[in-house]
């Protein structure tokens, strides 16, 4: 799970991390002291699954930060952690997962995680990848393609995000579903993002050209055609 805590108090951040370790020692958190840092990270890296956000910051409001965060990533769960009940109504208006009164507790974190899990639709599968010491959640629908780049693998996401992981391509492939197609030895593409396919290559939504493996051109085209037929069949059933 990709977790962030945004609080101007370093002490509050430490207390949160300690409570989180009691709840789940394997989880890691990115800490921010203001909204500008948090929103910058949201634009540059994979989205956070959940953000624990204070209401009071010097010169800015946590409610304003939450509104901007919501526009950047509607699926991110927002939990307000503050000293007062005064802004609870405004928090719920922003579809907050929870509103916790400091000091943060393991029970409050666990309850927030449970609420987050209940909001995940079954049709949005995810996978976890390790980036350095952190474990990140990536929604499969956000993946455009995966490239082998020397020892690392580049996962290209919607919104021009790219993350690098040090995993075998076959291990990543095991985490994917039927919408993903291996184009050649070093490239896997999300068929939802293939705009056009010829006998030799395919074009992605962003114009990227991916050349096919010579030995598997027919197999690749057949897999693409079968996927299109399956998708069209599903849409037709929904419209009946």
């Amino acid at each position: 799970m990709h977790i962030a805590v945004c609080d101007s108090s370093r002490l509050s951040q430490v207390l949160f991390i300690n409570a989180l370790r009691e709840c789940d020692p394997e989880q890691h958190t990115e800490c921010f002291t203001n909204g500008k840092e948090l929103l910058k990270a949201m634009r540059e890296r994979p989205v956070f699954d959940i953000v624990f956000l204070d209401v009071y910051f010097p010169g800015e409001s946590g409610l304003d930060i939450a509104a901007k965060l919501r526009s950047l990533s509607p699926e991110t769960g927002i939990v307000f952690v503050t000293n007062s009940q005064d802004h609870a109504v405004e928090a719920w208006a922003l579809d907050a997962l929870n509103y916790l009164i400091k000091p943060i507790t393991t029970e409050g974190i666990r309850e927030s995680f449970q609420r987050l899990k209940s909001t995940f639709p079954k049709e949005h599968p995810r996978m976890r990848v390790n980036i350095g010491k952190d474990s990140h959640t990536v929604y499969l629908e956000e993946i455009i393609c995966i490239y082998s780049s020397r020892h690392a693998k580049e996962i290209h996401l919607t919104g021009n995000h790219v993350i690098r992981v040090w995993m075998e391509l076959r291990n990543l492939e095991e985490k994917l579903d039927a919408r993903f197609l291996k184009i050649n030895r070093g490239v896997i593409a999300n068929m939802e993002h293939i705009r056009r396919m010829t006998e030799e290559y395919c074009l992605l939504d962003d114009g990227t050209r991916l050349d096919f493996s010579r030995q598997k051109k027919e197999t690749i085209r057949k897999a693409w055609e079968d996927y299109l037929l399956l998708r069209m069949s599903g849409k037709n059933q929904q419209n009946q």
Side-chain angles (χ1 to χ4, degrees):
M1 188 180 296
H2 198 184
I3 305 168
V5 57
C6 188
D7 195 307
S8 59
S9 167
R10 295 291 188 185
L11 176 59
S12 293
Q13 293 179 10
V14 170
L15 292 175
F16 175 89
I17 292 171
N18 290 339
L20 176 64
R21 285 174 180 164
E22 293 181 15
C23 176
D24 189 343
E26 295 184 359
Q27 295 291 352
H28 298 278
T29 300
E30 290 191 54
C31 295
F32 305 91
T33 57
N34 58 67
K36 184 178 180 180
E37 292 177 356
L38 172 64
L39 296 173
K40 183 175 184 291
M42 291 287 293
R43 296 185 181 98
E44 295 177 350
R45 298 197 288 281
V47 297
F48 294 104
D49 294 299
I50 189 168
V51 173
F52 291 82
L53 179 65
D54 196 1
V55 172
Y56 302 103
F57 290 88
E60 59 183 338
S61 164
L63 296 167
D64 292 337
I65 296 169
K68 294 174 182 176
L69 191 156
R70 178 67 70 220
S71 66
L72 279 174
S73 177
E75 68 271 25
T76 296
I78 300 174
V79 177
F80 287 97
V81 184
T82 187
N83 292 310
S84 169
Q85 289 277 11
D86 292 348
H87 299 283
V89 173
E90 295 165 279
W92 297 127
L94 288 166
D95 293 325
L97 278 178
N98 214 346
Y99 192 96
L100 303 176
I101 302 300
K102 293 181 179 181
I104 191 70
T105 64
T106 298
E107 289 72 21
I109 294 175
R110 186 177 290 114
E111 179 187 359
S112 300
F113 285 171
Q114 289 299 323
R115 293 188 182 189
L116 179 67
K117 289 178 181 178
S118 70
T119 67
F120 282 141
K122 294 181 180 179
E123 64 270 20
H124 291 294
R126 301 164 293 153
M127 70 175 183
R128 293 180 66 178
V129 296
N130 294 323
I131 305 176
K133 296 181 179 180
D134 294 328
S135 177
H136 293 263
T137 298
V138 178
Y139 292 91
L140 299 192
E141 65 190 32
E142 295 179 333
I143 300 174
I144 298 174
C145 59
I146 302 173
Y147 295 96
S148 288
S149 177
R150 295 185 179 181
H151 299 297
K153 303 299 176 287
E154 292 185 354
I155 303 177
H156 290 244
L157 307 172
T158 55
N160 295 318
H161 297 302
V162 179
I163 59 177
R164 291 168 63 86
V165 298
W166 278 259
M167 297 175 62
E168 293 291 334
L169 193 63
R170 65 175 180 272
N171 293 336
L172 276 173
E173 197 171 3
E174 292 172 354
K175 298 175 179 288
L176 304 175
D177 59 21
R179 80 190 89 178
F180 290 89
L181 178 63
K182 195 167 186 178
I183 301 299
N184 56 53
R185 189 171 66 176
V187 178
I188 298 173
N190 184 343
M191 288 188 279
E192 289 291 333
H193 291 282
I194 293 178
R195 180 196 305 170
R196 185 164 65 91
M197 185 172 284
T198 72
E199 294 183 358
E200 304 292 335
Y201 63 88
C202 64
L203 288 178
L204 302 182
D205 291 336
D206 61 1
T208 300
R209 169 174 166 161
L210 302 177
D211 293 318
F212 299 152
S213 169
R214 291 184 179 180
Q215 293 79 14
K216 297 185 177 181
K217 289 190 292 185
E218 293 184 6
T219 303
I220 292 170
R221 285 187 57 82
K222 178 66 164 53
W224 162 246
E225 291 169 0
D226 289 347
Y227 181 75
L228 287 181
L229 288 172
L230 182 63
R231 189 172 64 175
M232 290 176 64
S233 174
K235 288 183 177 179
N236 289 337
Q237 291 178 6
Q238 291 176 2
N239 292 332
Q240 290 178 355

